[in-house]
Amino acid sequence: MKSFKRLALLFALMLVVGVLAACGGSSDEEDTGSEDEGTEEEGASGEIVVGGSSAMQPLVAAAAETFMEENPDAQIDVQGGGSGTGLSEVAAGNFDIGNADYFAESKEDIDAEELVDHKVAVVGMTAAAHPEVGVEDLSMEDLKAIFMGEITNWSEVGGADQEITLVNRPDGSGTRATFNEFALDGETPAEGITEDSSNRVQQIINETPGAVGYLSFAYFEGNDDTIPLGIDGVEPTSENVETGEFPVWAYQHSYTNGEPEGLTKEFLDYMMSDEVQSSIVPDQGYIASTNMEVERDAEGNESEVE
Amino acid sequence: MANAQKSETNNHRLLKSNNSSSKKNEGRGKFLVFTSAVIVIIATIAITVFLGYKGIRTFFVYDVSLWNFLTTTGWDGTENSGAFAFIFGSFAVTFLAALFAAPLGIGSAIFMTEIAKKWGQKFLQPVIEILVGIPSVVYGLIGVTVIVPLIRNHVGGLGFSLLAGMIVVGVMILPTITSISADAIKAIPSDIKDASYGLGATRWQTIYKVIIPAALPSLMTAIVLGMARAFGEALAVQMVIGNVKGLPESLLDSAATLTSIITLDMPHTTYGSVHNSLLWSLGLILLIMSYVFIIIIRFVSSRRKI
């Protein structure tokens, strides 16, 4: 009888704790929203949630870490989740900053008017091939033909006699969208193996003879797992992206719902500061947006920076 | 409180004194158990309703034709997307895995319960229990690092294939099938076996003509439960199957399943978009299929004779 009573008590306790935790969770979220506004004057304290693009996560996490070291009262929670999640959550007010690899305008279901774009970095991307394909540069036409499935053997473009295997990212991935638009002239690549992260793409290209996919520049640094392919004789380097000679690049966007305030604003200012742009950004394999000599709008039109 | 109760029991007759408190306990116990049951039922209904609502939106809000969705291939995250390749992929992996795991599972169950009772229960049972406890991501990792290269080097193709998916999922559902089968065989009354031996049947004749037919409904339940697990498996399958969005033409071709597409695409979609809705519809198909599996299990077990 006694043991049953204890059991009952335990159950009851568990229920109560569960309910409390559930309530606590939701009220927490509401709190963070109001806190930000209140901390405007005190400066770098409070708590914000940043999330979205997994490609941007290492950069933002590294910046958040140094920012929190300098401002011990500030708490910046950096989450992944994907660009789509980032845009949806910032539009819904759950994230203070939503990161995305692409312009919010490119998603019909996001009210881009309400979101304010902060281009915190630029990322260059190129085709990544297995080290033994025997090709280091492709014309844009050949590249397109390869990804459209029209060329199926590396020997057709002067490489080894090896069948070509395509490695894609999922529909909606920022890397895929950028590569399709600027390397393939907006064409959709043929079906191939699809992997959900650039790390897996890199691994599979490395392990599969004749494989080709696309990766951002950071993945080529310090390893020979995959080789970056030049396009039309232009080497895929940060310098060539900055001058606008290499066409395949994208902004890394940090979106806020309305003009940023309080800690959100301070953190974004910090992201754009020289301290981050000239050290953390290149260290993480990105290109400082302040170094860009060309710029692009949401429609993909390119122009010189004045 | 406890002391008071004790002295009370000492002074009065046991039954009489305990009567009121035991009645109270009965009530409390009933309430607790009843609440648990209600919560579980509500959760199930809530999930079904939510998934139904989200999944059906595709066909009512975005006017996607249900027939096209279920019967065509070609997936690009727009209204014209067809999911047939994934439905086919899920079923292919499920049936192939069952084909591979069912004979092995039932065989080892018979070995464990009929042939080497002591040895089997001492060693085989713990081994199978360990197999149940291994997380699916570990199966996926082993699949990617061992099975995929093995297939690529010794059988052909890319390695990322239906065959790899079938082996990985087959091994995953093996313990489910084995342990349920073993329980089913153990539950057969020994009278039947003794009668068979008494008639002069050999051990193999007894297994083949008596035990398997007697346990058949339960063995079928074991296989269907295994298949249900295979159908819902996402992570391990996604890692080895290649996620190609077309129909596979052979066992060595890459394919995709309902679950692998959901996990691949979901992070890149914005809430409420067509693409997002399409993925919810895939989730609804998974839910409907799990209901179908349950119905099959109910039907099969109702035919149990012993």
Side-chain angles (χ1 to χ4, degrees), chain A residues 1-2 4-5 7-9 11-12 15 54 81-85 87-89 102 107-110 165 169-174 176 191-196 200 203-204 207-209, chain B residues 1-2 5 21-22 25 28-29 32 35-36 39 62 75-77 144-145 149 152 158 160 238-240 242-246 254 263-275:
Chain A
M1 200 59 69
K2 241 187 194 168
F4 180 73
K5 251 188 188 168
L7 196 74
L9 199 72
F11 262 107
L15 265 176
S54 46
S83 298
T85 311
L87 289 174
S88 299
E89 293 286 9
Y102 39 71
K107 292 277 168 179
E108 287 164 26
D109 309 278
I110 295 293
T165 300
R169 294 291 306 283
D171 293 308
S173 141
R176 177 175 172 142
E191 282 308 329
I193 291 177
T194 311
E195 286 300 332
D196 63 341
R200 296 273 305 132
Q203 192 191 346
I204 286 170
E207 287 172 0
T208 313
Chain B
M1 174 75 187
Q5 222 169 25
S21 78
S22 76
N25 268 334
R28 270 193 219 146
L32 267 172
T35 324
S36 311
I39 290 175
Y62 296 109
W75 179 267
D76 52 6
V144 161
T145 45
R152 182 168 57 227
L158 287 174
F160 294 96
Q238 189 202 312
M239 289 169 85
V240 300
N243 310 310
V244 169
K245 291 163 189 168
S254 301
T263 52
L264 268 183
D265 282 13
M266 200 54 117
H268 304 291
T269 63
T270 46
Y271 306 158
S273 61
V274 195
H275 197 170

Side-chain angles (χ1 to χ4, degrees), chain B residues 9-281:
Chain B
T9 32
N10 286 342
N11 295 337
H12 302 273
R13 276 168 55 211
L14 207 70
L15 254 176
K16 195 181 159 197
S17 72
N18 263 355
N19 219 354
S20 70
S21 78
S22 76
K23 238 183 196 166
K24 217 163 136 196
N25 268 334
E26 278 301 309
R28 270 193 219 146
K30 204 176 166 190
F31 173 75
L32 267 172
V33 182
F34 180 74
T35 324
S36 311
V38 167
I39 290 175
V40 170
I41 291 168
I42 289 177
T44 312
I45 294 174
I47 289 171
T48 308
V49 169
F50 183 71
L51 208 50
Y53 165 75
K54 284 282 203 177
I56 280 175
R57 269 172 58 92
T58 310
F59 310 108
F60 289 99
V61 177
Y62 296 109
D63 291 328
V64 174
S65 132
L66 177 65
W67 180 248
N68 270 347
F69 181 72
L70 292 178
T71 56
T72 62
T73 62
W75 179 267
D76 52 6
T78 65
E79 281 88 344
N80 301 319
S81 295
F84 180 69
F86 313 144
I87 297 172
F88 177 83
S90 279
F91 276 104
V93 168
T94 304
F95 280 102
L96 289 169
L99 215 59
F100 165 72
L104 281 179
I106 294 174
S108 51
I110 292 172
F111 178 80
M112 199 158 81
T113 50
E114 293 300 315
I115 313 241
K117 277 188 195 166
K118 265 196 189 150
W119 188 87
Q121 312 245 325
K122 233 182 206 160
F123 295 100
L124 206 51
Q125 191 123 30
V127 165
I128 284 160
E129 278 158 11
I130 289 168
L131 277 181
V132 179
I134 296 174
S136 63
V137 67
V138 176
Y139 283 106
L141 271 176
I142 295 171
V144 161
T145 45
V146 181
I147 293 169
V148 168
L150 206 71
I151 293 173
R152 182 168 57 227
N153 297 333
H154 297 285
V155 187
L158 287 174
F160 294 96
S161 54
L162 265 182
L163 183 64
M166 151 191 165
I167 294 172
V168 167
V169 176
V171 173
M172 280 185 69
I173 65 173
L174 190 57
T176 311
I177 296 182
T178 310
S179 54
I180 299 174
S181 302
D183 288 342
I185 295 169
K186 270 188 233 160
I188 295 173
S190 55
D191 306 9
I192 300 182
K193 283 181 251 175
D194 292 344
S196 170
Y197 288 129
L199 287 171
T202 60
R203 185 149 73 173
W204 176 245
Q205 282 171 329
T206 307
I207 291 171
Y208 184 65
K209 300 261 185 186
V210 176
I211 294 174
I212 292 183
L216 199 59
S218 305
L219 297 182
M220 294 299 292
T221 308
I223 295 171
V224 178
L225 267 175
M227 285 169 68
R229 189 177 173 202
F231 202 80
E233 174 49 38
L235 202 55
V237 177
Q238 189 202 312
M239 289 169 85
V240 300
I241 205 166
N243 310 310
V244 169
K245 291 163 189 168
L247 276 176
E249 281 164 13
S250 82
L251 270 183
L252 296 177
D253 276 356
S254 301
T257 65
L258 293 165
T259 47
S260 71
I261 291 302
I262 295 177
T263 52
L264 268 183
D265 282 13
M266 200 54 117
H268 304 291
T269 63
T270 46
Y271 306 158
S273 61
V274 195
H275 197 170
N276 195 272
S277 276
L278 287 165
L279 296 177
W280 279 108
S281 303

Side-chain angles (χ1 to χ4, degrees), chain A residues 165-179:
Chain A
T165 300
L166 296 182
V167 185
N168 274 322
R169 294 291 306 283
D171 293 308
S173 141
T175 310
R176 177 175 172 142
T178 307
F179 191 78

Side-chain angles (χ1 to χ4, degrees), chain A residues 260-299:
Chain A
E261 288 172 345
L263 182 59
T264 309
K265 179 172 165 37
E266 273 178 61
F267 180 63
L268 283 171
D269 287 345
Y270 177 73
M271 289 288 295
M272 298 306 291
S273 70
D274 269 349
E275 194 185 342
V276 171
Q277 293 288 326
S278 61
S279 64
I280 298 176
V281 167
D283 284 352
Q284 295 284 334
Y286 300 86
I287 300 161
S289 46
T290 45
N291 283 358
M292 292 300 288
E293 291 164 32
V294 286
E295 62 183 0
R296 231 181 235 159
D297 61 16
E299 276 83 46

Side-chain angles (χ1 to χ4, degrees), chain A residues 157-227:
Chain A
V157 288
D161 181 19
Q162 176 72 54
E163 247 185 75
I164 295 175
T165 300
L166 296 182
V167 185
N168 274 322
R169 294 291 306 283
D171 293 308
S173 141
T175 310
R176 177 175 172 142
T178 307
F179 191 78
N180 288 0
E181 189 171 354
F182 300 106
L184 307 180
D185 276 345
E187 303 280 0
T188 307
E191 282 308 329
I193 291 177
T194 311
E195 286 300 332
D196 63 341
S197 76
S198 291
N199 282 315
R200 296 273 305 132
V201 169
Q202 182 184 26
Q203 192 191 346
I204 286 170
I205 294 172
N206 178 249
E207 287 172 0
T208 313
V212 63
Y214 34 86
L215 291 169
S216 63
F217 289 175
Y219 288 90
F220 301 109
E221 266 166 41
N223 69 69
D224 298 320
D225 290 354
T226 58
I227 51 165

Side-chain angles (χ1 to χ4, degrees), chain A residues 53 55-56 59 100-101 118-123 250-254 286:
Chain A
S53 163
M56 283 176 72
L59 171 66
D101 299 325
H118 310 267
K119 302 181 181 88
V120 293
V122 167
V123 64
Y251 288 112
Q252 302 286 280
H253 306 264
S254 282
Y286 300 86

Side-chain angles (χ1 to χ4, degrees), chain A residues 238-246 291-294 302 304:
Chain A
S238 298
E239 292 74 39
N240 287 339
V241 169
E242 284 165 17
T243 56
E245 274 178 78
F246 193 80
N291 283 358
M292 292 300 288
E293 291 164 32
V294 286
E302 214 163 285
E304 301 268 324

